[in-house]
């Protein structure tokens, strides 16, 4: 058998940590580039011989990326906010392969360019437009006439967990100033508000040989632009209600749309495709992540092959694993800090240990902060009703009944 190829990961957070588990099972050596010796991913993965330790440096540092490339056979990312130009150079210089393609990472980094790309390929997205640098009151009025209110104002780059989104409810000077201040110095664009009935996500995986598989669509529930809860598979009522007749085949259509969108992007790996389901049954893409994604965490317990294992298979030219659900129903609940205290999260974890079908994932982050993802809990069950009843006491324990 050919020797295992070493995978270098840019970023050592929770996604890297969850990649490390299947890598250990499959005997795949990992080198994790991040600052510090004990990031969530490094805590659970030993650097393979002959390297004494994982590289210690910023995943944005060109020198460290080049060093990693010399030591690895394939580079991949657990975060899209990396230096894609350096990755492209690494590939051109023949230092090692990079998956997904650096050009894909670069395109996705800028949400405005990502949206333009999707639109050019005939893929539905919410109406959007660029915001000029230092917009005037007249610029905002023009955008309001174009899209109405509220306007979803977004940072083009460096956005995650809703940090980079600011809904603008009115054009008063106060609201405009608040939005501009909250988004800092980043370049901005706006989207029309999407009055969706549900948010939906599909994980799509493509290997180096071009084989593609997608997971069943899930329902994602966000609060303040950050993912709280996810239910798999997606259920949509097609009886009663205005426009319910259009809500047929949503899973099939969501998978097709996600696969079509990913087909416009180069490179191997797993992609998280976020979508809005509208009242008439139509689907629009919100954004695509070129990496494992929070809306696919349930796949660890609930599917034949997890998104993390399939990502490794994809970038290493291995056959893709089955994406089928192996339980009738599953839910995923993010453990998000509400302050610097872990108390609410510890209470939820305690409740999860007392709940059948619940699996606790804590990411090993030493400091809790408001809005920081500290872990998640997956709940499986024999029916949607059972999953929901199992989630309820856990949500109650952390005093969050948003789902
Ligand atoms: P992620 O953590 O998924 O990378 P992000 O910071 O990139 O998030 P988005 O995915 O753009 O942010 O938006 C986060 C959430 O904000 C969406 O899932 C949705 O709930 C809400 N949202 C985003 N765009 C719109 C819109 N145009 N209309 C209504 N709600 C929106
Ligand atoms: Mg995003
Ligand atoms: Mg998103």
């Amino acid at each position: 058998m050919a020797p295992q190829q070493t995978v270098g990961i840019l970023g050592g957070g929770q996604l890297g940590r969850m990649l490390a588990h299947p890598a250990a099972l499959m005997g795949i050596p990992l080198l994790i580039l991040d600052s510090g010796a004990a990031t969530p991913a490094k805590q659970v993965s030993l650097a393979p011989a002959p390297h004494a330790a994982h590289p210690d440096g910023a995943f944005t540092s060109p020198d460290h990326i080049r060093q990693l490339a010399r030591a690895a056979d394939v580079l991949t990312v657990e975060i899209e906010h990396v230096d894609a130009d350096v990755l492209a150079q690494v590939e051109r210089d023949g230092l090692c392969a990079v998956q997904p393609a650096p050009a894909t990472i670069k395109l996705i980094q800028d949400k405005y360019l990502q949206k333009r790309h999707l639109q050019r390929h005939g893929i539905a997205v919410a109406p959007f437009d660029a915001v000029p640098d230092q917009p005037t009151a007249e610029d905002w009025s023009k955008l309001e006439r174009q899209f109405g209110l509220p306007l979803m104002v977004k940072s083009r780059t460096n956005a995650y967990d809703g940090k980079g989104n600011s809904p603008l409810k009115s054009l008063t000077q106060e609201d405009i100033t608040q939005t501009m201040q909250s988004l800092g110095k980043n370049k901005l664009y706006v989207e029309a508000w999407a009055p969706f009935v549900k948010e939906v996500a599909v994980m799509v995986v493509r290997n180096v040989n071009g084989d593609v598989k997608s997971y069943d669509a899930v329902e994602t529930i966000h609060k303040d632009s950050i993912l709280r809860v996810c239910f798999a598979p997606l259920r949509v009522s097609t009886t009663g209600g205005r426009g319910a007749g259009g809500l047929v085949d949503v899973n099939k259509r969501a998978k097709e749309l996600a696969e079509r969108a990913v087909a416009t992007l180069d490179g191997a790996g797993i992609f998280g495709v976020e979508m809005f389901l509208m009242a008439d049954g139509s689907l629009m893409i919100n954004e695509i992540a070129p990496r494992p994604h929070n809306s696919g965490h349930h796949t660890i317990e609930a599917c034949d092959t997890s998104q993390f294992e399939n990502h490794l298979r994809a970038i290493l030219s291995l056959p893709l694993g089955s994406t089928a659900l192996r339980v009738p129903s599953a839910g995923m609940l993010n453990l998000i800090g509400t302050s610097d205290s872990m108390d609410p999260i510890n209470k939820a974890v305690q409740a999860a240990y007392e709940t059948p079908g619940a699996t606790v994932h804590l990411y090993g982050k030493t400091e809790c902060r408001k809005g920081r993802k500290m872990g998640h809990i997956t709940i499986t069950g024999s029916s949607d009703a059972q999953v929901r009843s199992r989630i309820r006491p856990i949500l109650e324990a952390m005093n969050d009944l948003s789902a």
Side-chain angles (χ1 to χ4, degrees):
M1 211 174 117
Q4 285 288 27
Q5 297 183 70
T6 298
V7 174
I9 306 179
L10 271 65
Q14 66 261 25
L15 300 177
R17 184 178 177 103
M18 288 182 267
L19 281 167
H21 292 143
L25 290 174
M26 293 189 279
I28 297 167
L30 291 187
L31 280 171
I32 297 156
L33 172 61
D34 209 341
S35 302
T39 71
K42 290 180 184 178
Q43 286 168 16
V44 299
S45 167
L46 284 177
H51 311 278
H54 292 291
D56 186 357
F59 53 76
T60 47
S61 149
D63 286 347
H64 284 93
I65 295 174
R66 279 199 198 90
Q67 268 172 33
L68 181 68
R70 285 195 190 92
D73 299 292
V74 186
L75 287 196
T76 191
V77 297
E78 63 128 42
I79 179 164
E80 59 273 32
H81 308 303
V82 296
D83 191 332
D85 292 333
V86 175
L87 289 176
Q89 192 65 51
V90 153
E91 226 182 11
R92 270 200 301 277
D93 293 348
L95 296 187
C96 84
V98 181
Q99 297 292 359
T104 296
I105 297 170
K106 193 174 169 82
L107 175 77
I108 282 178
Q109 274 173 355
D110 185 328
K111 286 179 164 184
Y112 173 72
L113 296 183
Q114 183 192 146
K115 283 237 148 67
R116 271 213 334 216
H117 168 91
L118 292 171
Q119 196 178 48
R120 280 186 188 146
H121 283 85
I123 288 165
V125 292
F128 67 99
D129 205 348
V131 174
D133 292 339
Q134 295 169 336
T136 61
E138 179 45 33
D139 291 328
W140 288 116
S141 301
K142 198 170 141 234
L143 290 166
E144 184 214 6
R145 286 196 297 278
Q146 227 176 318
F147 301 122
L149 290 175
L151 279 171
M152 183 54 120
V153 188
K154 294 191 179 182
S155 285
R156 285 173 58 157
T157 52
N158 289 314
Y160 70 99
D161 288 348
K163 299 176 184 61
N165 284 4
S166 180
L168 182 60
K169 295 189 185 69
S170 85
L171 295 191
T172 59
Q173 194 51 50
E174 196 189 345
D175 279 2
I176 291 174
T177 307
Q178 202 190 9
T179 284
M180 296 296 286
Q181 274 173 0
S182 73
L183 296 177
K185 289 199 175 66
N186 293 308
K187 269 184 169 302
L188 306 177
Y189 79 103
V190 291
E191 290 179 12
W193 192 261
F196 53 79
V197 288
K198 275 184 197 287
E199 286 192 80
V200 172
V202 173
M203 302 302 306
V204 179
V205 62
R206 177 174 59 222
N207 69 9
V208 175
N209 313 327
D211 303 329
V212 176
K213 282 183 196 275
S214 53
Y215 289 81
D216 279 333
V218 299
E219 175 177 1
T220 56
I221 299 172
H222 295 73
K223 197 168 88 181
D224 301 329
S225 283
I226 182 165
L227 179 65
R228 301 282 156 166
V229 187
C230 174
F231 290 108
L234 169 75
R235 312 280 182 190
V236 180
S237 166
T238 51
T239 54
R242 201 156 49 89
L247 296 176
V248 289
D249 290 337
V250 178
N251 180 47
K252 186 165 162 274
R253 288 190 289 112
K255 287 174 64 134
E256 279 167 6
L257 180 63
E259 288 183 23
R260 201 151 63 75
V262 170
T264 70
L265 302 168
D266 289 335
I270 189 118
F271 294 82
V273 185
E274 301 177 11
M275 290 172 242
F276 299 136
L277 173 64
M278 309 307 285
D280 65 358
S282 61
L283 288 158
M284 294 191 302
I285 291 198
N286 172 31
E287 64 164 344
I288 302 179
R291 52 166 170 79
H293 190 259
N294 201 168
S295 59
H297 288 359
H298 67 285
T299 60
I300 297 175
E301 288 86 4
C303 293
D304 282 342
T305 316
S306 78
Q307 62 163 343
F308 300 98
E309 176 171 339
N310 256 338
H311 181 65
L312 293 169
R313 289 183 184 221
I315 65 175
L316 292 169
S317 312
L318 298 170
L320 296 177
S322 157
T323 52
L325 274 167
R326 58 178 174 204
V327 292
S329 185
M332 189 283 315
L333 162 65
N334 270 338
L335 298 173
I336 298 169
T338 48
S339 68
D340 59 4
S341 163
M342 275 292 278
D343 287 355
I345 287 171
N346 289 337
K347 284 186 186 141
V349 166
Q350 190 56 39
Y353 285 133
E354 288 162 13
T355 304
T359 307
V360 171
H361 295 248
L362 283 173
Y363 303 149
K365 297 182 183 176
T366 44
E367 278 168 40
C368 185
R369 283 196 299 272
K370 189 172 187 307
R372 191 171 198 208
K373 288 177 180 165
M374 303 302 293
H376 74 267
I377 292 166
T378 307
I379 300 98
T380 57
S382 56
S383 67
D384 294 354
Q386 188 182 59
V387 166
R388 282 179 196 256
S389 76
R390 287 176 169 178
I391 281 191
R392 199 147 192 90
I394 306 174
L395 285 170
E396 273 165 13
M398 63 190 296
N399 209 6
D400 182 355
L401 291 179
S402 52

